[in-house]
Amino acid sequence: MSEIHVVPKDMKASIDVATDAEGAVRKADSAGYLSKAGAAVPGAESVGYMSELGTRWTDETKTAADSSQKLAAEMQKALNEFEAADQAAGQNGGKVMGPN
């Protein structure tokens, strides 16, 4: 059987980090910068590649943001389950041990 030590404060901090990362990645506009760079060199072969790179970059950053959002949601669910189990254990322990 595994032993798990849960520190709710640390879990909440981790959830905040994942949520902040998700927001920061969604705000990134690398594709926009690549479009501007491509416009600065009209007619160059690399313009098409910059546009393609921008599209891929947008797709990858969206995937990364979605993953961070999912991680934050899963950690929040785990924290909620832990807190509910901890509260129930405390209530049931009081029934066995009697009032303090």
Side-chain angles (χ1 to χ4, degrees):
M1 186 154 147
S2 298
E3 183 176 318
I4 297 173
H5 181 78
V6 177
V7 181
K9 176 182 72 163
D10 292 344
M11 285 194 70
K12 290 174 185 171
S14 296
I15 292 164
D16 289 343
V17 167
T19 301
D20 291 347
E22 183 252 339
V25 169
R26 290 205 194 280
K27 289 178 187 172
D29 183 22
S30 302
Y33 290 115
L34 288 169
S35 294
K36 289 177 186 176
V41 285
E45 267 186 54
S46 61
V47 172
Y49 295 118
M50 288 181 157
S51 177
E52 182 180 331
L53 177 60
T55 299
R56 286 185 182 182
W57 200 316
T58 297
D59 292 345
E60 291 295 323
T61 55
K62 182 187 179 310
T63 299
D66 291 347
S67 293
S68 291
Q69 183 181 36
K70 181 179 178 186
L71 175 62
E74 289 175 356
M75 285 191 297
Q76 185 63 58
K77 180 181 176 204
L79 178 59
N80 293 346
E81 289 172 358
F82 164 76
E83 288 176 334
D86 188 53
Q87 183 179 13
Q91 289 172 350
N92 291 334
K95 292 176 186 173
V96 173
M97 303 299 284
N100 291 338

